[in-house]
């Protein structure tokens, strides 16, 4: 007979978890949700400052979404999109997405996760260049610390060592260029603009070294999320985009986190004036209530798919659950709520409270850098404010902070480099932002006391 702690782990593999150390801990078992709070099996409430995994944009108890799912389940619980058939609701969702896209788009192709849609983007880039008689133009440039998912192709685009190691990834066609993190990788005294210029030059040098005839596309999140909430330096995309044009590369924009209001703009592409050829969305498309994602493609791309069918007989791609009616209904209802509840205006009103509240903690001895826009933010913890040196990974400072926050009923996510991420539900109120910042401030203080007790050197000049 397994005891309770062992039983919690016996049958379950936790993704992105240290499975060795976790064997000695209890999982945090969540049983309910209420607004921006989740509730564990002991009835304790946590302010979910990450909206789960950046996705529960409408919190954890939006009745309208439950009703939309139930209605759809009663009307048409499943149908597929193969062979010229399609659920009616999925057509409605396609049109809604194309109408709201940040740049003219031709068609939408559905899947069930960000990873799958990015994987599909890779396939389309290759398909397109074969169709256009450029079979050697296949390499895709992503960025260090970018996150695009975990399928074989999307994990290859992801720029995090832990997603590659021992999985025999990345695939040889995937390359990684610089991470645009000015605070961490800018040279001493280098302005954001000069940093952006240097990174653009490095990108061009990489393309020339590889051979422009072999480089097909560039993929980027407008703001790198899981890599550490990295806001691009001023002029970054203005510098990068002309290079993509010059070498006839497709621009794939991963809007999986930024999409649907996170930054106070409908898409990250609106914030930075990007015009993607291919664009992936997931997460907040359905407020996280149902697994659904989409790849939006420009008309030029969708025209090629049509043309190829003449040659190949069919577009040979699609998942059983591509355009599944239940997630489609929930997504459509989510988009209606965003519009009816003026979610962008709300994010623009409360976002600055979060940003200012966190920036007010900038003088805290552990805080190296505070950054963000709208309702996405990060606080980077350092051992030495002047040199920006991190704590050694073995110090466990991030894990300690996460533990203290959790004790105080706050869920945040600490990423590699002791970067604390915030991405609360978009419905968070001004008072709840104050609550969030208060709890985080207390967690910082508790972490500082803990670090001092352990004799960790902290240079808070
Ligand atoms: N792209 C980005 C920017 C993401 O943040 C994520 C997930 N965190 C993905 C893609 C992958 O999405 P999924 O986990 O739904 O496969």
């Amino acid at each position: 007979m397994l005891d309770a702690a062992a039983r919690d782990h016996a049958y379950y593999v936790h993704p992105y978890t240290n499975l060795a150390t976790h064997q000695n801990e209890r999982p945090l078992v969540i049983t309910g949700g209420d607004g921006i709070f989740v509730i564990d099996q002991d009835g304790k409430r946590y302010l979910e400052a990450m909206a789960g995994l950046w996705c529960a944009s409408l919190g954890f108890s939006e009745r309208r979404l439950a009703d939309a799912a139930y209605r759809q389940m009663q009307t048409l619980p499943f149908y597929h999109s193969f062979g010229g058939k399609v659920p009616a609701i999925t057509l409605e969702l396609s049109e809604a997405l194309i109408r709201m896209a940040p740049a003219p788009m031709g068609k939408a192709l559905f899947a069930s996760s960000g990873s799958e849609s990015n994987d599909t983007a890779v396939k389309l880039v290759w398909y397109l260049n074969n169709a256009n008689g450029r079979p050697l133009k296949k390499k895709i440039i992503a960025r260090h610390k970018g996150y695009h998912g975990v399928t074989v192709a999307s994990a290859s685009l992801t720029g995090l060592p832990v997603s590659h190691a021992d999985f025999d990834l990345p695939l040889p066609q995937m390359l990684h260029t610089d991470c645009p993190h000015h605070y961490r990788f800018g040279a001493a005294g280098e302005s954001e603009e000069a940093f952006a210029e240097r990174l653009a030059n490095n990108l061009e040098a990489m393309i020339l070294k590889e051979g422009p005839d072999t480089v097909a596309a560039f993929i980027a999140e407008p703001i790198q999320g899981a890599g550490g909430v990295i806001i691009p330096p001023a002029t970054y995309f203005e510098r990068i985009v002309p290079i993509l044009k010059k070498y006839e590369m497709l621009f794939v924009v991963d809007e999986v986190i930024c999409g649907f209001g996170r930054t106070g703009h409908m898409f990250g592409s609106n914030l930075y004036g990007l015009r993607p050829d291919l664009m992936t969305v997931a997460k907040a498309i359905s407020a996280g209530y149902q697994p659904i994602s989409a790849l939006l493609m420009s008309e030029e791309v969708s025209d090629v798919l049509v043309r190829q069918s003449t040659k190949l007989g069919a577009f040979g791609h699609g998942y059983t659950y591509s355009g599944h009616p239940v997630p489609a209904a929930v997504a459509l209802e989510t988009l209606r709520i965003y519009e009816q509840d003026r979610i962008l205006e709300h994010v623009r009103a409360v976002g600055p409270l979060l940003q200012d509240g966190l920036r007010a903690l900038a003088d805290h001895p552990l805080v190296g850098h505070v950054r963000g826009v709208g309702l996405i933010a990060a606080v980077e913890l350092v051992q030495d404010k002047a040199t920006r040196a991190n704590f050694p990974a073995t110090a466990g400072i991030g894990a300690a902070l996460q533990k203290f926050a959790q004790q105080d009923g706050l869920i945040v996510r600490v990423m590699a480099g002791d970067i604390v991420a915030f991405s609360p539900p978009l419905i968070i109120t001004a008072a709840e932002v104050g609550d969030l910042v208060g709890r985080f401030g207390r967690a910082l203080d508790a972490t500082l006391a803990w670090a001092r007790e352990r004799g960790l050197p902290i240079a808070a000049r």
Side-chain angles (χ1 to χ4, degrees):
M1 187 69 184
L2 296 170
D3 69 15
R7 202 168 55 232
D8 287 337
H9 295 289
Y11 308 115
Y12 190 74
V13 176
H14 295 265
Y16 282 111
T17 299
N18 183 326
L19 297 176
T21 57
H22 194 65
Q23 299 210 96
N24 306 318
E25 294 161 10
R26 299 290 301 274
L28 179 60
V29 181
I30 303 298
T31 55
D34 175 22
I36 68 163
F37 289 80
V38 291
I39 301 155
D40 75 10
Q41 59 186 357
D42 302 321
K44 180 170 171 172
R45 290 165 64 86
Y46 302 83
L47 193 165
E48 230 303 358
M50 277 302 288
L53 290 174
W54 329 80
C55 53
S57 47
L58 298 176
F60 298 88
S61 53
E62 177 49 74
R63 219 15 233 270
R64 283 180 63 176
L65 298 184
D67 291 343
Y70 187 52
R71 275 197 309 273
Q72 187 60 44
M73 291 279 268
Q74 288 176 312
T75 328
L76 180 69
F78 172 75
Y79 210 69
H80 64 87
S81 310
F82 284 32
K85 304 171 185 70
V86 65
I89 194 90
T90 306
L91 287 179
E92 254 188 271
L93 178 62
S94 314
E95 185 176 349
L97 288 172
I98 296 298
R99 285 187 189 282
M100 70 198 295
M105 285 285 166
K107 291 187 196 297
L109 174 57
F110 292 101
S112 307
S113 68
S115 299
E116 287 168 307
S117 284
N118 284 325
D119 198 277
T120 304
V122 169
K123 287 180 74 179
L124 290 201
V125 167
W126 292 345
Y127 196 76
L128 213 73
N129 279 350
N130 287 329
N132 288 336
R134 301 202 280 196
L136 297 179
K137 202 167 169 70
K138 294 289 167 59
K139 292 173 192 162
I140 303 183
I141 302 182
R143 300 176 301 171
H144 292 295
K145 295 187 183 288
Y147 193 88
H148 303 291
V150 295
T151 62
V152 170
S154 65
S156 295
L157 298 173
T158 292
L160 301 176
V162 73
S163 309
H164 296 160
D166 285 356
F167 290 121
D168 288 359
L169 298 175
L171 293 174
Q173 298 98 322
M174 314 305 197
L175 310 169
H176 293 89
T177 188
D178 303 279
C179 168
H181 190 1
H182 181 254
Y183 172 77
R184 191 51 63 200
F185 303 121
E190 189 177 36
S191 69
E192 287 195 26
E193 290 82 355
F195 179 58
E197 186 177 353
R198 176 158 66 85
L199 265 44
N201 290 342
N202 287 349
L203 174 66
E204 184 160 20
M206 176 182 266
I207 295 165
L208 291 171
K209 179 171 158 274
E210 296 291 329
D213 292 347
T214 71
V215 184
F218 177 76
I219 182 165
E221 301 154 80
I223 292 170
Q224 288 187 317
V229 185
I230 294 157
I231 314 283
T235 74
Y236 177 76
F237 283 112
E238 288 97 309
R239 293 260 177 206
I240 297 288
V241 169
I243 295 171
L244 309 183
K245 290 212 172 4
K246 184 171 170 188
Y247 297 106
E248 298 180 17
M249 292 163 62
L250 293 162
F251 188 15
V252 186
V253 178
D254 181 337
E255 291 272 6
V256 169
I257 286 180
C258 289
F260 308 103
R262 176 58 55 197
T263 66
H265 299 261
M266 190 49 81
F267 296 98
S269 292
N270 297 115
L271 172 61
Y272 295 115
L274 309 180
R275 294 174 69 84
D277 299 297
L278 295 156
M279 173 178 141
T280 50
V281 291
K283 297 192 189 275
I285 186 177
S286 63
Y289 281 38
Q290 285 282 300
I292 179 167
S293 64
L295 171 64
L296 307 190
M297 64 193 85
S298 70
E299 221 162 298
E300 276 179 1
V301 175
S302 57
D303 284 352
V304 174
L305 300 193
V306 175
R307 215 175 68 213
Q308 278 297 85
S309 286
T310 312
K311 179 180 150 201
L312 301 174
F315 174 55
H317 175 92
Y319 299 96
T320 299
Y321 299 135
S322 291
H324 190 298
V326 178
V330 171
L332 204 55
E333 189 70 1
T334 302
L335 301 184
R336 285 195 195 109
I337 295 174
Y338 290 156
E339 197 183 341
Q340 288 163 5
D341 292 359
R342 299 169 187 270
I343 203 77
L344 292 185
E345 280 171 48
H346 179 71
V347 174
R348 285 176 193 193
V350 295
L353 304 178
L354 177 69
Q355 304 299 337
D356 293 349
L358 294 176
R359 282 195 176 90
L361 299 168
D363 289 336
H364 191 280
L366 292 178
V367 173
H369 194 227
V370 183
R371 54 182 176 268
V373 49
L375 282 176
I376 184 167
V379 172
E380 191 156 340
L381 307 182
V382 292
Q383 185 163 37
D384 186 325
K385 274 180 185 287
T387 66
R388 304 180 178 182
N390 284 121
F391 285 93
T394 48
I397 200 93
L401 181 124
Q402 202 158 294
K403 190 185 80 193
F404 289 124
Q406 224 156 280
Q407 280 170 2
D408 198 14
L410 176 70
I411 293 181
V412 291
R413 171 143 157 223
V414 183
M415 302 178 298
D418 296 326
I419 299 170
V420 190
F422 301 84
S423 171
L426 304 183
I427 55 165
I428 192 169
T429 64
E432 288 167 337
V433 168
D435 187 3
L436 185 167
V437 172
R439 292 185 204 219
F440 176 61
R442 291 199 292 276
L444 271 180
D445 288 342
T447 309
L448 180 62
W450 172 90
R452 285 192 168 136
E453 247 169 53
R454 271 175 170 58
L456 288 173
I458 295 161
R461 281 158 284 168

